[in-house]
Amino acid sequence: NRAPFAQPFPRIELGFSDARGEPLAGRVFTPAEYLRGELDSSDVMPPDTPVHLSLELVDPGSAAVGYALRFLPPAS
């Protein structure tokens, strides 16, 4: 969060694609799924503070040669 104010943690979408760009697998992670340590139960990102996250993945297979990561608005 490089903003000068706290803001809600986003959802994170991770998708894998094949050589033609066709989607193979994907998942949306909530903050509860990717936050660990001292921020584990936080609702907001502190201002001007690096945040480390952890994503648990399942192997999408050998056809997966590309990926895309998107930050989505928090769930309402």
Side-chain angles (χ1 to χ4, degrees), residues 8-40:
F9 282 102
R11 292 174 297 138
I12 298 175
E13 179 183 59
L14 178 62
F16 292 93
S17 57
D18 65 15
R20 295 183 318 247
E22 297 294 323
L24 294 174
R27 181 173 170 195
V28 175
F29 295 87
T30 65
E33 294 173 308
Y34 66 75
L35 290 175
R36 301 287 184 265
E38 63 190 44
L39 293 175
D40 187 18

Side-chain angles (χ1 to χ4, degrees), residues 1 6-9 35 39 41-46:
N1 180 16
Q7 54 188 329
F9 282 102
L35 290 175
L39 293 175
S41 60
S42 297
D43 292 330
V44 294
M45 290 183 285

Side-chain angles (χ1 to χ4, degrees), residues 1 38-39 46-52:
N1 180 16
E38 63 190 44
L39 293 175
D48 200 29
T49 302
V51 174
H52 297 92

